[in-house]
Amino acid sequence: LHDGATALVDLMVPFVLDGADLGDRVVLVGEPAFVDVMLTAVPGVPGIVAVPRSGRARFPGRDLRQFQRVLSTLGEGPRLRVVNQMPRMAPDAWHEWRRYEAAANRLLAQHRVWSTCAYATDGLDAGMLQDLATSHPHVLTAGGRERS
């Protein structure tokens, strides 16, 4: 959970660098400007798979299919770290994205993946935050990583 673009980069750079040090492959998904900033922030990390996607072009089912394609093209090998900047969404779209989280958990359980779902807190109400805590085993904020 983050409160803006700078905070998101500050949270994700160590996640990416730690993964690279361990030999993990890295995938960045998000707004084109965010993906560019992240690539600039971690210039020494080889082989990052960048998936710039405007939030307006993202839908839960489409995102899952794209994730499956990325996983299948990468095949077996080292663990995969994914930074997934979640799109801002209207409250009426929340139910579908909540279902996406459950489906993503099932999809990712079959693979060696450590994924972060980066949500901006300014677009989330208390019920949405509770849903995220329920569907994620850990939450990473500027205060650190905590069990949900």
Side-chain angles (χ1 to χ4, degrees), residues 5-24:
T6 300
L8 176 56
V9 172
D10 291 346
L11 283 172
M12 292 300 104
V13 165
F15 178 75
V16 169
L17 293 176
D18 290 347
D21 287 347
L22 294 171
D24 295 350

Side-chain angles (χ1 to χ4, degrees), residues 82-94:
V82 177
V83 175
N84 187 4
Q85 180 191 30
M86 300 305 293
R88 293 190 182 272
M89 60 202 73
D92 62 339
W94 180 250

